[in-house]
Amino acid sequence: MSGQRAYVASVGMTPIGDHWGKSILDLAVDASRGALAGLGGKKVDQVIVGNMFSAVGASQEHLGALVTSALGLRGTPAFKVEAACASGGSAFNTGYRLVKSGAIGSALVVGVEKMRDLEPEEASRALAMAESAEYTQFVGATFAALNGLLARLYMEQENVTRDELSAMPVLDHANAVTAAHAQFRKAITPEVVSRSALISDPLRLFDCAPVGDGAAAALIVNDDALAGAKGGHVEILGGKIATTEFSVYEREDMLDFLATKEAFKGAMAEAGLAPGKLSLAEVHDAFSVVGALSLEAMGYSKRGQGSKDAKAGKYSMDGELPINTFGGLKARGHPVGATGMYQIAEAFLQLAGKAGKNQVEGAQYAATQNIGGVDSTSAVHVFGRAS
Amino acid sequence: MAIQYWRIRDRYYRLIGSRCGACGSEFFPPVYRCKKCGSEDIADREMPRTGKILTHTLLHEPLPGFEALAPFYLAVVKLDNGAKVLTQIVDSPPDAVKSGAKVRAVVRRAKVDGDSGQIFYGYKFVVE
Ligand SMILES: [Zn+2]
């Protein structure tokens, strides 16, 4: 690909959880300051905010100018990118493309979501807006319901057991124990999952990512802007967004995550990497079944084997391909519009050797996969340790 | 209710979806372009009112406005023409709601608007 090389120079993030004392802007500013610290005082060319439902969650739109104004970045172009739960990854892709193409030298991308000011059922309604108003919301279906339908199909068609399905949340919680920014830092057993409350049968509470507030940011730079930065950068080797048939029930094969398949293939091709080269992956497991189907779409598990492989340890920290190294969506948390940026910040920490107790030793290449809807949108990025 | 119900009420009452003029494939919800052959020769078509459950779930925590029904069954129903519908399953014994079960469309009260109290009707399915 023509154009210039693009790097993540620095990242910033807030812990995920109940930030009762902080507004959506407070969170965005906290994360942005952390990322801007890597710019060494230089001016950033573009600000992009990834967010899904600030209008519903915080009565706030126009996040681009709101953030630049708060950061004292007068004159800087800014806007919001929305693609449901893939808002963060999509915002990052926009910044990456602008830098990579040579149009700009640097971009601050911040993903933010304020969910906890809403009552739980109102948060559920806001999330459901990622689906068809006329044919999904109208029948009362939540996001958990769509994934409950998917989980039943997965278990029945592919002979997946309850304990196999539980392997992904168990893995997430194990990895989050030592992750400072994670929402739930407590290990769990498969029994905790299988005995938790039914949300949308067969999915239970511990199959589902929690609701939380948070913001994560990254500073994307070209070689010139990197010159003033403070070391420890990571190269962005590839990135692709793909979309597919909007509602999962309309698809010929509901278990085939075509958007992730295409986005992963495209991002890896741009990076020039064979699938076996990845040291780790941050996977969008908003629901246990979604994590399994994502790994199958990325080609790491055969059809029907995603949960079984997770149970066998293939995706654990000491496995063939460690995933969700800070707890994934289930335990690190899932502040929807920010989630894709948390994944990217985590990939950065791994490749910069700054992951502390969660460090994957010798990590060379990492991928992040961020889904909107039930894989209606998928944004995948591939990163490499700076040489 | 953010959407204008009257605009699509026929679709909710009579299951009006789409038929492709080029290859004959039928779809619900309606489409702008045939998913099989890509043709844009699309016309309204009333769907068959019978089909089979492809997958189902019992939803315990529904969207606001549906609390009175909870828990209730949702299913993806594959209609006899191949179109797939996301729908509630009602008036059926729990052990009858299973994958492969034959179902039939009925019209029921779908939703009561929280602000206006207006009642909306639409399709649901029962196990035969
Ligand atoms: Zn056709």
Side-chain angles (χ1 to χ4, degrees):
Chain A
M1 180 160 288
S2 62
Q4 51 191 357
R5 297 172 82 162
Y7 310 89
V8 175
S10 47
V11 300
M13 56 180 142
T14 72
I16 297 173
D18 302 336
H19 288 287
W20 303 119
K22 293 199 173 189
S23 70
I24 189 167
L25 182 58
D26 294 338
L27 294 167
V29 166
D30 281 358
S32 298
R33 279 182 174 154
L36 284 171
L39 198 57
K42 274 201 250 175
K43 204 170 172 302
V44 68
D45 293 337
Q46 172 78 52
V47 171
I48 305 172
V49 183
N51 170 266
M52 177 180 169
F53 57 64
S54 62
V56 178
S59 298
Q60 185 69 61
E61 281 295 11
H62 206 177
L63 297 184
L66 187 74
V67 168
T68 54
S69 171
L71 292 171
L73 299 173
R74 200 154 70 100
T76 309
F79 50 78
K80 159 174 162 171
V81 169
E82 187 277 322
C85 313
S87 297
S90 299
F92 184 84
N93 191 265
T94 308
Y96 167 53
R97 287 279 154 238
L98 285 169
V99 172
K100 181 82 181 167
S101 67
I104 59 173
S106 63
L108 170 71
V109 184
V110 54
V112 63
E113 205 74 64
K114 185 74 187 163
M115 306 178 77
R116 295 292 280 141
D117 282 358
L118 295 171
E119 296 296 331
E121 61 274 16
E122 288 301 325
S124 174
R125 195 168 71 97
L127 287 169
M129 290 178 187
E131 258 293 339
S132 164
E134 293 177 340
Y135 297 99
T136 304
Q137 296 176 40
F138 188 77
V139 302
T142 59
F143 239 79
L146 291 177
N147 286 284
L149 292 164
L150 201 59
R152 165 108 45 215
L153 194 67
Y154 186 55
M155 293 172 86
E156 288 186 355
Q157 284 196 357
E158 308 297 334
N159 297 310
V160 174
T161 67
R162 173 64 262 182
D163 273 3
E164 286 165 354
L165 198 63
S166 302
M168 201 76 67
V170 168
L171 178 160
D172 276 2
H173 275 261
N175 292 354
V177 171
T178 47
H181 61 280
Q183 188 168 4
F184 293 113
R185 300 178 55 184
K186 191 169 180 286
I188 57 166
T189 61
E191 290 68 39
V192 170
V193 185
S194 61
R195 287 177 194 163
S196 61
L198 277 167
I199 301 296
S200 196
D201 185 35
L203 289 184
R204 294 173 179 270
L205 184 64
F206 273 76
D207 285 299
C208 313
V211 166
D213 301 331
L219 181 68
I220 305 173
V221 295
N222 64 3
D223 276 299
D224 287 348
L226 186 66
K230 294 177 189 164
H233 60 284
V234 162
E235 184 163 4
I236 311 167
L237 300 174
K240 185 173 171 65
I241 299 174
T243 57
T244 190
E245 271 177 285
F246 192 67
S247 293
V248 65
Y249 52 86
E250 295 180 272
R251 298 176 198 156
E252 186 71 32
D253 180 358
M254 288 172 64
L255 301 180
D256 195 3
F257 275 12
L258 288 173
T260 285
K261 209 173 244 179
E262 192 166 332
F264 184 74
K265 208 171 113 189
M268 290 293 276
E270 187 186 349
L273 286 182
K277 285 285 192 183
L278 284 189
S279 315
L280 66 121
E282 294 300 326
V283 175
H284 190 101
D285 58 342
F287 298 90
S288 51
V289 62
V290 172
L293 293 175
S294 294
L295 288 160
E296 293 176 20
M298 290 158 73
Y300 288 101
S301 284
K302 295 202 173 85
R303 186 178 175 107
Q305 301 296 309
S307 291
K308 295 179 197 291
D309 286 346
K311 186 162 185 287
K314 180 172 180 177
Y315 301 117
S316 302
M317 286 302 273
D318 57 356
E320 198 176 305
L321 178 71
I323 66 162
N324 299 356
T325 59
F326 291 85
L329 276 65
K330 172 66 192 80
R332 168 241 290 131
H334 181 31
V336 286
T339 293
M341 290 307 299
Y342 276 97
Q343 294 177 318
I344 286 162
E346 289 163 350
F348 173 89
L349 293 177
Q350 289 290 0
L351 298 176
K354 297 174 180 172
K357 287 181 177 162
N358 295 62
Q359 185 67 48
V360 173
E361 288 311 320
Q364 192 78 34
Y365 301 106
T368 59
Q369 176 241 6
N370 181 207
I371 286 179
V374 186
D375 200 51
S376 315
T377 299
S378 185
V380 174
H381 291 89
V382 178
F383 303 86
R385 192 164 70 187
S387 41
Chain B
M1 190 73 179
I3 65 164
Q4 291 298 328
Y5 175 75
W6 54 263
R7 190 164 54 222
I8 49 174
R9 68 181 166 201
D10 276 358
R11 302 198 181 279
Y12 291 148
Y13 287 158
R14 291 170 47 215
L15 277 176
I16 304 291
S18 302
R19 181 176 195 278
C20 171
C23 77
S25 296
E26 298 188 357
F27 303 97
F28 190 91
V31 297
Y32 295 89
R33 182 175 182 278
C34 178
K35 295 180 190 196
K36 287 267 166 60
C37 76
S39 168
E40 292 183 355
D41 176 14
I42 298 293
D44 278 357
R45 176 80 161 196
E46 192 162 339
M47 297 288 108
R49 302 183 72 81
T50 52
K52 282 182 183 172
I53 292 178
L54 183 65
T55 180
H56 59 95
T57 185
L58 184 62
L59 177 59
H60 293 260
E61 297 187 1
L63 288 185
F66 294 86
E67 295 91 340
L69 298 173
F72 60 84
Y73 285 100
L74 286 163
V76 178
V77 167
K78 190 165 191 176
L79 299 174
D80 293 341
N81 64 351
K84 285 190 273 187
V85 184
L86 176 68
T87 179
Q88 287 181 26
I89 303 288
V90 295
D91 301 342
S92 307
D95 60 354
V97 181
K98 55 188 175 197
S99 304
K102 286 186 176 179
V103 292
R104 173 173 49 84
V106 294
V107 174
R108 290 283 189 277
R109 177 185 292 201
K111 191 176 192 297
V112 180
D113 185 71
D115 297 323
S116 68
Q118 195 181 348
I119 296 168
F120 305 109
Y121 290 87
Y123 56 86
K124 296 189 181 185
F125 282 69
V126 296
V127 178
E128 289 203 297

